[in-house]
Amino acid sequence: MMLSHDDIVMLLSTQGGAYDQLLDRALATKLHYLDNKVHLRGLIEYSSVCTKDCFYCGLRSHNNRALRYTMTDQEVLSCARQAMELHYGSVAIQCGERSDRAFTDSITRLVKAIKALSHGTLGITLSCGEQTDDVYRQWFDAGAHRYLLRIETSNRELYYKIHPHDDNHSFDRRLRCLDSLKKIGYQTGSGVMVGLPFQTVHHLADDLLFFQSSQLAMVGMGPFIPHPDTPLWQYRESIPSVEERVGLTLRMIAVLRIMMPEINMVSATANQTLVPNGRLLAIQAGANVIMPNLSPDTYLDSYSIYPNKHCADETSRCCGSTLDRQLATIGHEILYDEWGDSKAFLEVKKIGEHSNTVDDE
Ligand code: 5AD
Ligand code: SF4
């Protein structure tokens, strides 16, 4: 559905009965287009080493208090094996950003190894930052088929308030990477943080319009959580309260579900970190993907993008039947052993194939 900037601002500001109506509408839209199914991606936090310096993230290269690790191939493969045993259907490899050859080759090797291990049955999502077209293609050819690259904010000025303004943090390159991922054939996802310093409801409305005009297949949105070892910590008093940030995130999810009924939307861990039932609230607002953490215990504390992330991950670990039960209380169920591709992507692909056939004739 097409909504104007003003409509979106109004919906993001709803309270009371109007808010309940918004959430009801979003849930009804999701159930109509995607049924009550939730897809799982076993999250593998491969490495906390990062060459970037984003002002919000605990893994930024200038944070010398961050603990750095990179999993061994065996550890990654054991996570993948666990995902298979748990019938998750897909894994997602996430890490800090590096572009050196040793790193990019490692990802290629791991993607191939996971494909071989699972006889091609595990779906693979990558979230390994900005790379050259060649690297994106190499990873795609190895077997990765979904890629997440959050834009963080679609507003250029705000982007440079939350990132250094230098060659290593270029807003334009981020846009080019998203384009390149789509062209190569990935199901491409992006997303933003909600409740950032200097962010207004107008920025957020524009973010939703950006997702729609970019025809993304997947979106992830979560509340900003200030990290004490980062530059944005100094603004922690000026951002919306925890309740407001979670509420705004839920409104963002709900409005986007109405605008883009068939995309995959993740229930971000950051929601669960801030409120105990955050994961379920996001599902009720329109999200349809959950990413339970499969990383070995020893690394959980070190992957500290924001404070207390691992506490929420602890909850996701007891996943399996607990998550089944929790989802059943809100009338949802997990779809096991499937990739859970974005219906929006499959539709666009079908139309593309059809127009090719027409062109060929
Ligand atoms: N609060 C919430 N989300 C964060 N991210 C990074 N730092 C924070 C933070 N302090 C998100 C960003 C990034 C993803 C890996 O984690 O959106 O893309
Ligand atoms: Fe690195 Fe990603 Fe954190 Fe930026 S958000 S510092 S790229 S891990």
Side-chain angles (χ1 to χ4, degrees), residues 56-58 94 150 152 174 192-193 222-227 270 303 305-307:
Y56 42 86
C57 176
Q94 209 177 73
R150 284 192 179 183
E152 314 297 357
R174 179 83 41 131
V192 294
M193 283 175 288
F224 165 64
I225 304 176
H227 190 299
Y303 204 79
I305 291 176
Y306 47 78

Side-chain angles (χ1 to χ4, degrees), residues 50 52 54 56-57 59-60 96-97:
C50 187
K52 285 212 162 167
C54 309
Y56 42 86
C57 176
L59 300 187
R60 64 195 303 266
E97 190 173 308

Side-chain angles (χ1 to χ4, degrees), residues 168-198:
N168 201 23
H169 299 82
S170 153
F171 181 70
D172 290 318
R173 192 173 56 227
R174 179 83 41 131
L175 291 176
R176 279 201 303 277
C177 283
L178 284 171
D179 262 347
S180 147
L181 288 164
K182 279 188 281 178
K183 285 201 185 99
I184 289 168
Y186 282 100
Q187 284 175 58
T188 304
S190 194
V192 294
M193 283 175 288
V194 179
L196 286 163
F198 319 113

